[in-house]
Amino acid sequence: MAADVPSLRWEDVHGPARAVVYGLLGSQDAGLARSLHDEGWRGHGLRPLGLTSPQFKGAPRKNGVYTTSRDGSVWFGSPVPEIASLLITSLASRAEIVWGAARLKMRGFTLDVDVPQPSGPVVLDTMTPVIVKRESRYLLPGDPFFVERLQHNLVHKADVLGLPAPEGLQVLEAGPRRRFTVRGAPRIGARVRVAMEADARFVKALRSWGLGLDTVQGFGWVR
């Protein structure tokens, strides 16, 4: 994607993501998009889909500015084929995506399919911050209860998909604290590198869903 502005407003890095993804889904199936937004997926509060904020290669470095370039990408995904197919159909028909105050001109579209991997130990890195909360407080890697709450989220996601829950979650590495504003409220997290024992089907699901909370806002996307 190529941005039509030299930088994104900080509130537009993650802020428009929810509206963008529901707009894509709604253009193909308004009923499913509305149900997913209002109720979650088939009786579960979670929404099994994820995306990234716009990522730009070769963007000039400017202190305190989220700069853009003509070599940008946004990843979308879902472990549910019904949702994923709507995203694919909608994206394939688009020439641009309106992302907050910016217009992202689509220069190409690629379908990324994971190569099957065996079950067992796996290491996952995220390219956007992971959001974890406990009693309305945002937690960062190294904080008490961070691993516990992230594990709880993983178990919940496995339950939604009817897959075995992972075990032995460990945080191997973490990036710096990042704070973004989404719909006037803060989101605080950090990119992480984690290890776990997991079923191969669940690992594949996480790669198209993400780690932690607010994946529909572009957080927790697995690299």
Side-chain angles (χ1 to χ4, degrees):
M1 293 181 168
D4 69 339
V5 291
S7 64
L8 296 185
R9 303 179 305 184
W10 282 106
E11 60 267 32
D12 280 352
V13 176
H14 284 275
R18 181 188 295 265
V20 168
V21 77
Y22 282 122
L24 292 170
L25 293 172
S27 69
Q28 303 299 313
D29 189 330
L32 184 145
R34 190 180 310 111
S35 173
L36 194 62
H37 177 277
D38 295 344
E39 304 165 15
W41 181 249
R42 296 184 176 175
H44 297 274
L46 293 184
R47 284 86 179 164
L49 59 100
L51 70 159
T52 67
S53 55
Q55 310 286 309
F56 296 97
K57 291 182 180 179
R61 291 182 178 274
K62 277 190 178 181
N63 190 34
V65 179
Y66 196 92
T67 55
T68 69
S69 73
R70 295 189 59 78
D71 189 8
S73 300
V74 180
W75 284 262
F76 297 85
S78 173
V80 177
E82 183 178 353
I83 298 173
S85 64
L86 294 177
L87 289 171
I88 292 168
T89 302
S90 184
L91 287 167
S93 66
R94 297 290 176 112
E96 68 174 21
I97 290 178
V98 177
W99 192 280
R103 290 182 178 272
L104 306 178
K105 182 179 180 181
M106 292 185 63
R107 301 172 57 235
F109 173 81
T110 302
L111 181 61
D112 188 7
V113 179
D114 275 340
V115 177
Q117 301 289 330
S119 298
V122 64
V123 174
L124 300 175
D125 292 272
T126 65
M127 63 189 300
T128 56
V130 172
I131 304 298
V132 174
K133 293 179 75 174
R134 181 177 184 266
E135 297 177 352
S136 75
R137 176 176 175 266
Y138 290 100
L139 301 178
L140 293 169
D143 287 344
F145 303 108
F146 178 87
V147 172
E148 174 189 303
R149 298 314 299 168
L150 183 56
Q151 174 70 20
H152 179 270
N153 178 263
L154 291 170
V155 170
H156 195 178
K157 286 176 176 172
D159 183 55
V160 169
L161 300 173
L163 295 173
E167 298 179 347
L169 177 66
Q170 300 176 45
V171 177
L172 304 178
E173 192 176 338
R177 175 187 183 274
R178 290 286 182 258
R179 183 186 188 279
F180 293 94
T181 299
V182 176
R183 301 194 306 279
R187 298 291 190 277
I188 299 170
R191 289 184 291 185
V192 298
R193 186 169 184 255
V194 300
M196 67 182 84
E197 291 268 349
D199 184 285
R201 295 168 297 173
F202 186 59
V203 174
K204 181 179 180 181
L206 288 178
R207 291 186 184 279
S208 56
W209 186 345
L211 300 180
L213 306 172
D214 284 348
T215 59
V216 75
Q217 287 287 172
F219 293 101
W221 184 263
V222 175
R223 188 181 301 276

